[in-house]
Amino acid sequence: MTLKTDGLILREHKVGEADRFVTVLTRDNGLVRAAARGAKSIKSRKGAATSLLTYSRLTLTETKSGFAVSEAEPLRVFFDLKSDVTAVTLAQYFCELCGVLAPWDEPAEEFLRLMLNAFHLLSEGKKDPRLVKLVVEWRLLAAAGYMPDLSACRRCGGAQNLSLSLRDGTLICQDCGVGLDCYPLSETMLAALRFVPTAPLEKAFSFAVPEKELAALADVCERFLLYRLNRGFNTLDFYHQLCEIEPKPAP
């Protein structure tokens, strides 16, 4: 079987002197693993097209041991990302996260479009990386079926003074009693959490929140994701280390 598809290289694993194995996020077949024989050779046309963070047009041929990349043409190489260590680390975190949440052997257009939009915004540098990060996390969770119930307090149906329970994935109001796993949400934060997974993708990154609420919103999204997936990410840890050492803007 031969599969012709566009895909984003989420992971590359070098083997020997000339070969690499890649994990590709494709539009029609979700996650696909493939061997790129000779991709590390200077003369190979597959080299750039099978590199991490590259969006490529691929021809994949099924072999006894899985798929092999027989042809590859780069459509977009995100060079701008690689010049900014924080941006490229965040992009690698998105790749790692997508590799956990995206489906195998199923259509994944929502995942692919989200990743390409996020990479484009990180490359431009015009959006706060925290906003890009929380949108990617929240929409990936939504696409994978992990969304919390954000309608109203789960106990009384109230709509005021709400907090998000990480454990239950529901809202609870202050009058009904919040637990240690609950994180308070302002009206702006709750509106953003409801907007992000349902908005058209081209508008999902377009909202704005005040600085203080953006920091809190990014924290809630990340905490909910890590709690639900019950795992950490090395790239996320490194991203936070970089954020700690970045110079702060003058007041």
Side-chain angles (χ1 to χ4, degrees):
M1 180 179 76
T2 298
L3 174 64
K4 294 186 177 182
T5 184
D6 296 343
L8 179 66
I9 309 299
L10 299 184
R11 185 181 306 158
E12 60 173 337
H13 175 62
K14 298 177 182 178
V15 179
E17 294 296 324
D19 303 335
R20 65 164 59 113
F21 283 91
V22 295
T23 300
V24 190
L25 176 64
T26 69
R27 191 179 309 278
D28 299 320
N29 297 80
L31 296 173
V32 176
R33 283 199 186 100
R37 306 292 183 188
K40 292 168 59 181
S41 170
I42 297 177
K43 297 180 180 180
S44 175
R45 296 181 179 179
K46 303 175 189 175
T50 58
S51 296
L52 185 66
L53 308 182
T54 301
Y55 179 51
S56 301
R57 181 154 294 153
L58 305 168
T59 299
L60 306 176
T61 303
E62 192 170 22
T63 67
K64 291 182 179 180
S65 57
F67 282 104
V69 180
S70 53
E71 296 180 18
E73 173 191 358
L75 299 176
R76 173 74 189 273
V77 182
F78 290 92
F79 285 122
D80 294 343
L81 281 177
K82 298 180 181 181
S83 64
D84 183 331
V85 66
T86 303
V88 77
T89 300
L90 196 53
Q92 289 173 330
Y93 164 58
F94 295 163
C95 289
E96 191 177 3
L97 182 59
C98 198
V100 171
L101 292 174
W104 294 83
D105 303 320
E106 294 179 14
E109 182 170 0
E110 169 73 10
F111 293 86
L112 180 59
R113 291 180 61 222
L114 176 64
M115 294 289 283
L116 292 175
N117 274 268
F119 284 8
H120 174 71
L121 291 172
L122 288 178
S123 297
E124 283 190 324
K126 296 179 181 178
K127 288 284 184 180
D128 191 310
R130 293 171 299 174
L131 186 143
V132 177
K133 174 176 172 290
L134 73 87
V135 171
V136 170
E137 290 172 333
W138 213 236
R139 283 193 76 111
L140 284 179
L141 285 173
Y146 284 94
M147 269 294 91
D149 180 358
L150 299 176
S151 55
C153 175
R154 70 171 185 267
R155 292 179 181 170
C156 71
Q160 302 295 322
N161 300 318
L162 296 171
S163 295
L164 174 64
S165 169
L166 303 186
R167 181 185 62 191
D168 299 323
T170 57
L171 297 177
I172 187 166
C173 72
Q174 191 171 3
D175 291 339
C176 289
V178 296
L180 295 177
D181 71 314
C182 296
Y183 286 81
L185 302 175
S186 68
E187 292 184 6
T188 300
M189 291 168 64
L190 182 56
L193 292 179
R194 288 169 173 166
F195 170 79
V196 169
T198 58
L201 183 57
E202 60 272 16
K203 297 182 179 180
F205 297 91
S206 64
F207 68 97
V209 295
E211 168 66 25
K212 185 176 180 180
E213 288 180 296
L214 175 59
L217 184 61
D219 184 54
V220 169
C221 288
E222 182 182 304
R223 287 178 182 272
F224 182 79
L225 180 143
L226 296 177
Y227 189 94
R228 284 293 158 187
L229 299 185
N230 192 30
R231 57 158 295 170
F233 296 87
N234 291 333
T235 46
L236 178 61
D237 294 338
F238 186 50
Y239 166 72
H240 284 305
Q241 291 175 21
L242 292 172
C243 290
E244 289 178 0
I245 63 177
E246 282 184 343
K248 305 300 181 184

